[in-house]
Amino acid sequence: MTIETIPFSKLALTEGANPRRSMDAAAIEGLAASIKADGLLQNLVVRRDGRKFRIVSGERRWRALALLVERGDIGKDYPVPVEVRADLTEADALRLATVENIQREQLPPMDEAEAFALLLGAGASLEDVAAKAGVSVLTVKRRVALASLTDEVKAFVREGEISLAAAEALTLGSAEQQRAVIERLDSGYRYDADDIRDWLTGEKPAVALAIFPMEQYDGTVTADLFADDDNTFFDDAEQFFRLQSQAVEALAAHHREAGAAFVDILTESYAAWWQYREADAEAGETGGVVIHFKPSGRVEVREGLVRREVRPSVAEDTADHPAAPKEKPEYTGAVIRMVAAHKSLAVMAVLLANPRKAREVAVVTMLNACDWTARARLDAHPALGHFAGGDSQPETYAKVEGVAQAVMEALDIAATLTSRYPAPDRGAWETLLRPQKEPLALYEAVTALDDAALDALHLLLTTLTFGQGNMDALDGSASLFNRVATDLGVSMRDHWCPDEAFLTRRRKDQLEAIAKETGAVTRLGALKDYNKTQLAAALARHFARCAADDKLITADLKARANAWLPEAMRFGGVEESGDMAKAEDVTEVEADDAVGDGFPTPAVAEDVQPAQAA
């Protein structure tokens, strides 16, 4: 390293090259006083640019010298010690400036964020940036996420109006949501990081979020007093997300047809906008489109973007922000509730044939020893309502409803109802448990029953209240419900067969795993040729045919299909023999290599035709 002196007048700043975007005036004043008293103790790093020398690192010292020149304390020809770096690229200059700033005096977080984003966007690795900046990889990840904030939020962070924690939480919001927070801060509101994170991740599916025509939605909505779109919410969230997903795919197709350079669809809470920049139209760049489809259903679209040269490993490692919500669970709420309803009704159906066990359950429940909520008030278990009125009701529901209907007729329950205009019920089971009845008339009817009929009524009423304690969570614990199911020997495959209602709610990769696990792939053929809907339908028909003992399907395939059960449908230690997890792997076969029942694959006559592979 060679140090030489250059007159101050030949030094010039490199516009926009310093990662430090804010300078402390008091610190510059103090540095100027130090230089005036003791001289410049540390050289600058420069690179030649014609007759000038551009500063690579040392802008704070240059500004202190400029202040002394302005005041007349030193002349413009003041000799400045410098190290001249030859053949220094802009990326190298930026790296040196970043390292020098961080190691000498900690950059403000927002300046760090933008400096790191520029380095990573130019192809640097996380490890390189962390090592050269003297910080951890996690710090680089946390800082670079801030580079995705809007300019308004960045300004507030630099001015100290927003804490660093709150800024990190704001990265989970769209540009519109970030601006909304800024407007409220201007109005005097104050939020901490938890408030912002809860607001952004707990967003409900409001009508204002829909990008599909409202006439496509056939469910109900709930509105508040003001009834505007921001405060009117879809009651059927599952239908909302299905329609919103279809609209996002249509929007992406529209942009592709319109000639976009690329269309990226981001589906996590956080979008790494720093990995993109605006296209330079004058340079002939064609912009792409990024669609951010958040888990809440909110959609944000940004057009005219170009991908930065970010390493694939860096893009993957920075895709999730530390402030973002945790990974989605394997089962959605709708699937968990459907599974819970199936399992509960299966236990109800078996309880009907086990009076002794039903009485035991009644005693335990009345003692308030239950899994989730005490139903000694004879509240009907929600599993009954889950399938009531549905187009496809399981046999277990029909069995319970049939017994309830017989009791209704035997007791002439209709004659005991006190309301002239009773609310519509969803089945005989609900009418039995409704409170609006004339007690003495009902008492006379019950006391006229013989012991057997009374026992049957007690059995029915107890059974209607019992099922999985919490239908909104998978139950794999040592719960009362699982213990009763185990004692009863309930086998879910005696009461349930994998159908489209279940299979269409699984991901494509999960359906492919099911096909291989059960051996169905040997009949269906090349799974890549199916879209998700077709594969779910084909699997449902395969399971149905195996359950019906179709003679055209081999015994081995039928045995494997009839034994398969998803883990969520199990009752603790019950049905160990039905666990297909240990079955040998089945290799996916192409259509012309299919074996098994002798039918051509993947399009057996009644199975769904797969889509053509793209």
Side-chain angles (χ1 to χ4, degrees):
M1 179 177 70
T2 302
I3 303 297
E4 56 185 286
T5 58
I6 294 176
F8 175 80
S9 59
K10 290 190 176 183
L11 297 176
L13 292 177
T14 303
E15 194 65 32
N18 193 341
R20 188 184 298 277
R21 301 299 173 84
S22 54
M23 296 282 182
D24 187 338
I28 298 295
E29 185 75 41
L31 183 56
S34 174
I35 294 174
K36 181 180 178 181
D38 302 314
L40 188 61
L41 302 180
Q42 177 65 42
N43 65 278
L44 282 63
V45 177
V46 300
R47 57 191 177 100
R48 186 182 293 277
D49 183 13
R51 294 185 177 182
K52 289 283 187 178
F53 292 86
R54 298 286 177 183
I55 296 174
V56 174
S57 66
E59 182 178 342
R60 292 176 62 253
R61 279 159 279 161
W62 181 89
R63 289 186 180 277
L65 290 169
L67 184 59
L68 293 175
V69 170
E70 181 182 348
R71 292 174 176 174
D73 293 328
I74 61 174
K76 291 185 178 181
D77 58 350
Y78 181 83
V80 179
V82 300
E83 176 190 355
V84 181
R85 293 285 187 95
D87 301 325
L88 203 61
T89 66
E90 290 188 5
D92 290 335
L94 175 62
R95 177 180 57 80
L96 287 173
T98 300
V99 172
E100 194 267 349
N101 272 286
I102 292 175
Q103 290 184 346
R104 292 188 183 278
E105 181 178 335
Q106 187 68 34
L107 277 174
M110 203 66 255
D111 293 345
E112 273 189 337
E114 294 185 338
F116 291 166
L118 286 173
L119 291 173
L120 295 172
S125 69
L126 287 169
E127 291 74 17
D128 285 344
V129 174
K132 292 170 181 175
V135 297
S136 68
V137 170
L138 178 59
T139 297
V140 176
K141 287 183 179 181
R142 294 181 72 94
R143 290 292 185 269
V144 78
L146 298 176
S148 296
L149 292 168
T150 63
D151 291 340
E152 298 95 324
V153 176
K154 289 178 181 178
F156 266 65
V157 175
R158 285 192 170 99
E159 294 166 7
E161 296 294 324
I162 295 180
S163 69
L164 184 59
E168 288 183 340
L170 269 176
T171 60
L172 302 176
S174 64
E176 180 183 353
Q177 289 173 310
Q178 292 178 34
R179 283 190 287 270
V181 171
I182 295 300
E183 290 175 2
R184 294 181 71 82
L185 288 173
D186 282 337
S187 301
Y189 290 86
R190 286 293 177 268
Y191 301 98
D192 62 20
D194 289 336
D195 292 333
I196 294 173
R197 188 177 297 104
D198 291 344
W199 173 53
L200 295 175
T201 60
E203 190 174 25
K204 296 180 180 179
V207 170
L209 301 183
I211 63 172
F212 55 83
M214 278 299 294
E215 54 266 23
Q216 293 181 5
Y217 176 75
D218 57 13
T220 58
V221 297
T222 299
D224 70 356
L225 179 63
F226 301 100
D228 59 3
D229 285 351
D230 286 325
N231 295 288
T232 302
F233 304 100
F234 293 98
D235 294 329
D236 189 342
E238 187 173 348
Q239 184 182 170
F240 160 75
F241 281 111
R242 184 176 69 252
L243 294 173
Q244 194 81 327
S245 298
Q246 294 170 357
V248 167
E249 291 295 338
L251 181 62
H254 167 75
H255 283 294
R256 293 188 187 101
E257 293 172 0
F262 62 86
V263 177
D264 289 347
I265 300 178
L266 311 179
T267 58
E268 300 300 328
S269 296
Y270 162 70
W273 295 111
W274 65 268
Q275 297 182 14
Y276 303 88
R277 61 172 176 83
E278 292 186 3
D280 187 347
E282 295 182 358
E285 289 183 332
T286 302
V289 177
V290 178
I291 302 174
H292 186 197
F293 183 21
K294 299 181 66 176
S296 66
R298 180 178 290 273
V299 177
E300 180 180 11
V301 181
R302 299 192 188 183
E303 303 178 27
L305 300 180
V306 173
R307 299 187 185 107
R308 295 185 184 274
E309 297 179 3
V310 180
R311 295 189 183 191
S313 60
V314 172
E316 182 179 353
D317 289 342
T318 58
D320 294 329
H321 188 275
K326 295 181 179 180
E327 184 179 351
K328 294 180 182 178
E330 180 181 1
Y331 290 92
T332 64
V335 174
I336 289 174
R337 192 166 182 81
M338 179 178 66
V339 166
H342 272 298
K343 293 165 67 178
S344 297
L345 286 168
V347 175
M348 287 185 195
V350 178
L351 273 173
L352 291 174
N354 290 267
R356 169 72 185 183
K357 189 59 64 179
R359 290 194 194 92
E360 293 172 354
V361 169
V363 171
V364 173
T365 303
M366 291 174 187
L367 288 172
N368 202 28
C370 54
D371 295 332
W372 190 252
T373 301
R375 295 191 172 92
R377 299 184 306 274
L378 295 184
D379 292 332
H381 192 277
L384 291 160
H386 186 88
F387 292 108
D391 295 333
S392 178
Q393 295 174 336
E395 292 181 4
T396 47
Y397 178 88
K399 183 173 184 178
V400 175
E401 172 64 10
V403 175
Q405 185 63 47
V407 171
M408 278 271 298
E409 295 173 0
L411 295 178
D412 195 13
I413 292 294
T416 69
L417 299 178
T418 58
S419 175
R420 293 180 58 188
Y421 305 102
D425 57 53
R426 293 171 288 178
W429 56 269
E430 188 167 52
T431 305
L432 279 177
L433 301 183
R434 284 168 55 192
Q436 301 89 356
K437 301 180 183 70
E438 207 290 311
L440 288 179
L442 186 58
Y443 175 76
E444 292 296 333
V446 171
T447 55
L449 299 174
D450 58 25
D451 289 343
L454 184 59
D455 282 346
L457 176 56
H458 175 260
L459 165 63
L460 172 63
L461 296 178
T462 301
T463 299
L464 294 180
T465 70
F466 190 70
Q468 183 170 312
N470 177 12
M471 285 190 37
D472 292 315
L474 296 176
D475 186 1
S477 62
S479 62
L480 171 64
F481 173 70
N482 282 335
R483 175 60 186 273
V484 172
T486 301
D487 289 349
L488 289 170
V490 179
S491 175
M492 282 305 300
R493 284 310 303 265
D494 291 341
H495 304 276
W496 175 80
C497 181
D499 55 14
E500 285 194 64
F502 174 79
L503 295 169
T504 54
R505 288 175 168 85
R506 312 307 288 143
R507 299 191 308 268
K508 175 77 182 311
D509 61 302
Q510 292 172 324
L511 294 176
E512 291 175 349
I514 292 171
K516 295 175 182 178
E517 196 172 308
T518 61
V521 65
T522 61
R523 295 189 62 250
L524 303 182
L527 302 182
K528 67 178 185 300
D529 292 339
Y530 291 80
N531 61 34
K532 175 188 168 181
T533 301
Q534 292 171 332
L535 185 53
L539 279 172
R541 294 183 181 183
H542 173 73
F543 279 118
R545 289 180 61 187
C546 291
D549 196 21
D550 192 321
K551 303 302 181 184
L552 296 178
I553 300 178
T554 63
D556 175 65
L557 278 182
K558 285 188 288 189
R560 296 181 69 172
N562 292 335
W564 185 82
L565 194 68
E567 187 65 30
M569 281 284 188
R570 302 183 187 283
F571 302 102
V574 181
E575 303 169 323
E576 291 299 327
S577 63
D579 189 351
M580 293 295 295
K582 298 180 180 179
E584 67 271 17
D585 291 336
V586 178
T587 303
E588 182 176 326
V589 296
E590 298 298 333
D592 55 359
D593 294 330
V595 296
D597 57 18
F599 276 31
T601 59
V604 287
E606 69 282 24
D607 282 341
V608 175
Q609 295 280 347
Q612 290 295 323

